[in-house]
Amino acid sequence: MTTADPRSPGHDVEAIARRLDHAWTARTPIAPLSDTDAIDVATAYDIQTAWGRLRLARGERIVGRKIGLTSPAIQAQLGVSEPDYGALWAASHYATRDGVVTIPAADFLQPRIEGEIAFRLSRPLRQPGVTAEQVIAATDACALAVEIVDSRIADWKIKLVDTIADNASYGGFAHGPWDAAMRTSDLAALAMQIHHNGTLAAEGLGSAALGNPALSTAWLANKLLEFGVNLEPGDIVISGGITRMLPVKPGDTFRFTLTGQPDLTVNFT
């Protein structure tokens, strides 16, 4: 018999996690949890964790973390003052070959895409009060990254608790080649552009991620510590969108450019 999570009295966290899991596996979105379940932020993170346990029990594997809501505009839209986070899953880490990644659009419910900067850790971040400098010291390389953002919530009618419970609206990710020199560059000044089917559709700077992607990653390390979770060697962190999100349809092609990096082309079949 399933019982309510003791940290989230009055809510059957496991049952809500199963609803999200079914929405994902059946590709059928559900009504906003903020409407149907009246959950708070702490409960939303408990639901995210419970969903993660379901997936781990099936043999899936976490390869890192994602940071969401780093844009001041998105924070204002959702009425929040800090980002959120989710897990990156190996099953939705799409391989890049010769600067091209091909992704089945049918893997997602209602996908969007954005550009980010990824960090690959070679040392753990387990201590409290992690700084941007400590993030750089623990990183062996960075890369141009793309996130496919997706929502199990119908019509993207999300509030903060919806996106947190829904693994920070994560769908999948890919990245270009790892570059050790990039980690010591001026990450805030890196400029990204996205061409959608040949037309410039979005652009931004690294500073869009909380002022600097290393600061964003430091926020993540400190937030995870509140839940007893650490960033470990080998973990990948995608540090928050530095461009606006663009809707995705089958047949779309997106070409990403980032200062000093080879282009990355994403084709949706």
Side-chain angles (χ1 to χ4, degrees):
M1 184 171 110
T2 302
T3 59
D5 191 307
R7 296 164 301 178
S8 304
H11 295 283
D12 191 335
V13 165
E14 299 291 339
I16 298 171
R18 287 195 297 271
R19 276 161 47 201
L20 283 166
D21 190 61
H22 181 265
W24 175 64
T25 55
R27 304 294 187 264
T28 304
I30 60 175
L33 301 177
S34 52
D35 291 342
T36 59
D37 294 89
I39 58 175
D40 60 15
V41 167
T43 303
Y45 274 116
D46 287 340
I47 294 165
Q48 181 189 129
T49 301
W51 187 15
R53 287 195 298 267
L54 284 175
R55 298 181 67 168
L56 290 168
R58 288 200 296 261
E60 295 189 58
R61 185 169 58 91
I62 293 173
V63 294
R65 305 285 170 175
K66 65 150 286 183
I67 307 166
L69 308 180
T70 53
S71 158
I74 296 297
Q75 289 186 9
Q77 179 183 341
L78 294 182
V80 299
S81 59
E82 70 172 28
D84 69 347
Y85 73 84
L88 302 178
W89 293 91
S92 49
H93 181 187
Y94 294 92
T96 302
R97 293 181 177 83
D98 299 322
V100 177
V101 55
T102 300
I103 300 176
D107 285 358
F108 311 100
L109 282 79
Q110 39 193 353
R112 302 175 180 181
I113 195 167
E114 65 184 13
E116 310 201 11
I117 292 171
F119 293 72
R120 186 179 65 190
L121 299 184
S122 57
R123 296 189 221 164
L125 289 170
R126 300 171 183 156
Q127 71 278 16
V130 173
T131 65
E133 291 75 19
Q134 289 169 324
V135 166
I136 296 301
T139 298
D140 70 354
C142 292
L144 184 167
V146 301
E147 181 184 359
I148 301 93
V149 189
D150 200 10
S151 181
R152 273 54 63 176
I153 305 302
D155 302 318
W156 274 97
K157 292 182 177 176
I158 61 170
K159 296 180 180 176
L160 176 62
V161 294
D162 297 298
T163 185
I164 290 174
D166 191 24
N167 195 35
S169 301
Y170 167 75
F173 79 108
H175 57 78
W178 294 107
D179 182 351
M182 185 177 163
R183 56 183 280 280
T184 55
S185 66
D186 184 353
L187 296 173
L190 296 180
M192 180 176 283
Q193 292 185 332
I194 309 175
H195 285 79
H196 177 204
N197 296 334
T199 300
L200 179 63
E203 52 192 337
L205 298 173
S207 57
L210 295 187
N212 188 302
L215 283 172
S216 181
T217 303
W219 173 88
L220 172 67
N222 292 314
K223 189 68 175 179
L224 287 171
L225 284 172
E226 296 179 17
F227 295 89
V229 179
N230 303 315
L231 291 174
E232 298 291 346
D235 280 350
I236 297 170
V237 174
I238 55 174
S239 56
I242 63 174
T243 65
R244 69 185 183 93
M245 293 189 295
L246 300 173
V248 172
K249 303 186 303 298
D252 277 345
T253 293
F254 298 87
R255 180 170 58 86
F256 289 77
T257 65
L258 181 69
T259 307
Q261 298 301 306
D263 292 356
L264 178 62
T265 297
V266 182
N267 296 318
F268 285 91
T269 58

